[in-house]
Amino acid sequence: MTRPDASPEARKAWIGLLAKAPPASFAALLRQAGLKHQFTWLRQPEIGSVMVQGRMGGNGSAFNLGEITVTRCSLQLACGTVGHGYVQGRDKAKAERAALCDALLQTDEAGRVTEEILTPLASEMAEAARSRAAKSAATKVDFFTMVRGED
């Protein structure tokens, strides 16, 4: 199998997808794919918090919105490839799965990981987004102003 685009933009996209993936689906797909590799921990899963910033109007000056809990870890495959996992919340197993997939996506297993894990996760998440949008659209209220003719 050939390695996919390992540019920083592509890696950012797959790390984001893995971080947002539903934990149960992600675990099931990884188990189904049978991707188990020997690795050593560079940083075992640890829980902490990060400050989230917001911007007024999307482009104003930044302000601290609040903190969220994250779990992060780093591992190294036997071939020397390093993978990182950052996930929102306190799910150490999901962070480990994300780090393993990140590492594998930088190796010759990338095509298989993309086909068996990333593509199904992306499809499931897109369908969930479409479903939420449809439910939201069903509750949309159109406001209008009637001309009263008093002018």
Side-chain angles (χ1 to χ4, degrees):
M1 293 183 185
T2 59
R3 291 173 63 173
D5 177 20
S7 68
E9 294 81 20
R11 189 168 184 210
K12 181 179 176 181
W14 79 56
I15 286 176
L17 176 68
L18 294 170
K20 296 172 189 169
S25 300
F26 189 7
L29 288 168
L30 191 60
R31 195 172 33 257
Q32 200 173 41
L35 294 169
K36 294 189 177 191
H37 285 269
Q38 295 295 333
F39 62 84
T40 55
W41 288 114
L42 299 177
R43 174 183 291 133
Q44 289 193 2
E46 56 189 19
I47 298 168
S49 62
V50 296
M51 181 62 68
V52 178
Q53 292 188 330
R55 293 184 181 273
M56 276 308 237
N59 58 5
S61 58
F63 64 94
N64 291 335
L65 187 61
E67 292 183 345
I68 62 167
T69 304
V70 296
T71 305
R72 70 178 182 177
C73 67
S74 298
L75 54 80
Q76 184 174 27
L77 298 177
C79 66
T81 305
V82 175
H84 304 285
Y86 282 82
V87 298
Q88 184 177 344
R90 305 174 63 86
D91 193 341
K92 291 181 178 183
K94 183 179 176 188
E96 179 182 336
R97 289 190 296 270
L100 178 60
C101 286
D102 176 44
L104 291 173
L105 282 161
Q106 299 173 68
T107 67
D108 292 336
E109 296 256 10
R112 183 173 169 214
V113 174
T114 300
E115 181 181 314
E116 296 182 21
I117 296 173
L118 293 186
T119 302
L121 283 175
S123 296
E124 178 183 344
M125 292 167 64
E127 180 56 38
R130 278 191 294 277
S131 175
R132 278 191 311 273
K135 286 179 184 176
S136 177
T139 63
K140 181 179 176 186
V141 177
D142 288 324
F143 292 97
F144 61 93
T145 303
M146 295 178 58
V147 177
R148 297 191 315 183
E150 295 176 350
D151 294 274

